Amino acid sequence: MLAIAFYIMAAVTVLSGALVITARNPVHSVLFLILAFFSAAGLFVLMGAEFLAMLLVVVYVGAVAVLFLFVVMMLDVDFVKLRQGFANYLPIGAVVGVLLLTELIMIAIAIADRGAAAGQSPQVYGPEMSNIEAIGRVLYTDYVYLFQASGLVLLVAMIGAIVLTLQHRVHVKRQDIHTQVTRRRKNAVEIVQVKTGEGIKE
Amino acid sequence: MTEPSFWAGPWGWTIITIGQSAAVIMGVMISLAFLLWGDRKVWAGVQMRKGPNVVGPFGLMQSFADFLKFVLKEVIIPAGADKTVFLIAPLLTFILAFMSWAVIPFAPGWVVSDINVGILYLFAISSLGVYGIIMGGWASNSKYPFLGALRSAAQMVSYEVSLGFIIITVVLLTGSMNLSDIVNAQAGGFWNWNFLGGGGLLGLGIIKLPIMLGMMVMFYISALAETNRPPFDLPEAESELVAGYQVEYSSTPYLLFMIGEYANIVLMCAMITILFFGGWQSPIPMDSIVPQGSLAYILISLGWFILKVVFWFIMFALAKAIVPRYRYDQLMRLGWKVFLPLSLVAVVLIAAYRVFGGNLV
């Protein structure tokens, strides 16, 4: 039963991964990417890492991919133009692809014989601890300083992005919610007695 | 003890689970029909109209008549539409809306799947709900649906953030992500429910009371925004976008969208009930009158759960009837500049209380 579920999900993941790069319509590509994320989450559940699976769905499928889809839908992609450059970029693309593949294989080998971590025994938590608790303990207790440091790195990246895109424009009308809400009848409406044939002076 | 019973084996388990899911889906569908009727009656009451009153007694059968009408009409697919995505979108909305009900505890022990990350599962599935809308809006290949889809994508992603933080405060208070545990932690009378701080209010615990009360109000408002209900129904604002992402939909696909939307609304009501209103707990302990674990106890608990969900549903319907629509920039401001910081502060305070309040388990 478990094996069947694994093979189905793995097949869906790989197939949708392939369709991401072969689909002609970029929106379809993103949709297949989402399917790949989703079935990867299913694989996590099969491994008993239900917390990671849910996080994958919440963060990647629920937030990152939504924004991704958002941007791709708004892009005006010209397919003919896109195909024209295809042959020019093929060698570079192939080099990058081969590089990534080699890296993946090397990582797989390193994990198989426990590369950098060789000689250290992994922390084992008993079955009495749920994997939320185990992750929480590792992340927020054992390695809390490293965790905070990685948070700082992300903060720097965020500030950088804001600084790069921030523009101070002078002649922009801004809305002040406070003045809008506190606006009352007496400072907005004026009743004027108008004499016939004279009108209101400006 | 002979051989293990058939129902404990993998096939028996599969059959039981499918049966339970079917029961839940049917139950939710039928109650949706009446809730939809109730929704329309509430608006009618506020606007001094009669509302649906022709089909059946008090118009109770109106939803079923509408259902038949939708199913029997012709499905129209626009010529420029991306057919596959166009048809998958309403199905996705429908399926996702019912997937979440798997982890909702209706009464003591009455839950299809009692998983440890229940609340996270709910959150994950509800965050997927936006895909149905985006896909539908994009695949229609039309301007209004596309604008509606873009609006709803931005809106749902924004309010999910504060919803997540509000859920974290409840999880911090309870110390568990299992929905049944969250409900059980609120046992023993309404003064133990999470909207009043979850009990233990003496001494330092009193700071929980205002925080959790505020969190409940914020959850209610965020839930309105998350389900695209008025006053936050900009994705389908009829005065600007006709009907937003559903403009090009007709017949059964439209029906699927609508049922999915209402299932999501009722799900949000059930979530508020479970997180803040004690789930199926009775407001005054009834253990001394009805023995715990008996069928009567379970049925009364189910009754309380349904009553609370209906109460919140009426709150949703009232909001639609009496509140004017927000402007888009006001909506974004409320989400990012008001709710996000407030809920973040609440998470910090509740976490501090858990650490320094002395009752950390």
Side-chain angles (χ1 to χ4, degrees), chain B residues 87-149:
Chain B
L87 289 178
I88 287 178
L91 270 178
L92 195 74
T93 308
F94 184 80
I95 293 170
L96 287 175
F98 281 92
M99 255 170 91
S100 329
W101 287 92
V103 292
I104 298 281
F106 292 95
W110 279 25
V111 48
V112 177
S113 168
D114 197 18
I115 54 176
N116 270 331
V117 287
I119 190 83
L120 212 56
Y121 172 84
L122 266 187
F123 189 58
I125 298 297
S126 71
S127 71
L128 294 184
V130 66
Y131 281 113
I133 296 178
I134 302 188
M135 282 163 70
W138 176 79
S140 300
N141 199 5
S142 165
K143 291 184 184 63
Y144 287 138
F146 189 60
L147 283 174

Side-chain angles (χ1 to χ4, degrees), chain B residues 145-285:
Chain B
F146 189 60
L147 283 174
L150 289 183
R151 279 185 178 188
S152 107
Q155 173 176 340
M156 287 172 90
V157 170
S158 309
Y159 278 85
E160 238 157 52
V161 183
S162 54
L163 269 189
F165 279 123
I166 296 169
I167 288 173
I168 287 175
T169 60
V170 175
V171 171
L172 277 173
L173 270 187
T174 317
S176 170
M177 287 196 180
N178 183 318
L179 289 169
S180 301
D181 286 354
I182 290 176
V183 174
N184 279 323
Q186 303 177 57
F190 68 87
W191 49 90
N192 281 345
W193 292 355
N194 275 338
F195 81 104
L196 291 176
L201 289 179
L202 295 174
L204 200 58
I206 198 74
I207 62 152
K208 289 190 294 179
L209 179 82
I211 298 174
M212 292 316 283
L213 210 58
M215 286 302 107
M216 185 198 68
V217 175
M218 279 170 54
F219 191 95
Y220 168 65
I221 299 174
S222 303
L224 285 175
E226 185 73 10
T227 50
N228 298 329
R229 283 282 281 193
F232 307 111
D233 63 338
L234 290 133
E236 46 200 88
E238 67 272 8
S239 52
E240 307 154 26
L241 297 181
V242 192
Y245 61 93
Q246 354 175 296
V247 170
E248 305 290 349
Y249 281 90
S250 56
S251 164
T252 315
Y254 174 79
L255 180 74
L256 290 179
F257 257 136
M258 187 145 127
I259 294 181
E261 203 172 284
Y262 269 87
N264 268 331
I265 292 166
V266 182
L267 182 82
M268 278 294 171
C269 299
M271 265 174 93
I272 304 185
T273 306
I274 289 165
L275 292 177
F276 293 99
F277 259 55
W280 36 259
Q281 303 285 357
S282 107
I284 287 159

Side-chain angles (χ1 to χ4, degrees), chain A residues 1 25 27-28 31 34 38 50-51 54-55 57-58 61-62 65-67 69-70 73-74 132 175 177 180, chain B residues 14 82 85 117 120-121 123-124 127-128 130-131 134-135 138 146 150 153-154 157 160 177 327 329 333:
Chain A
M1 204 80 156
N25 192 327
V27 173
H28 290 177
L31 292 176
I34 291 158
F38 201 74
E50 73 267 11
F51 182 70
M54 293 304 154
L55 277 197
V57 174
V58 170
V61 183
V66 171
L67 297 178
L69 192 61
F70 200 92
M73 283 195 316
M74 297 219 278
I132 308 170
Q175 292 184 352
I177 299 288
Q180 285 181 0
Chain B
T14 311
D82 186 328
V85 181
V117 287
L120 212 56
Y121 172 84
F123 189 58
S127 71
L128 294 184
V130 66
Y131 281 113
I134 302 188
M135 282 163 70
W138 176 79
F146 189 60
L150 289 183
V157 170
E160 238 157 52
M177 287 196 180
R327 220 169 51 207
D329 61 310
R333 177 182 169 274

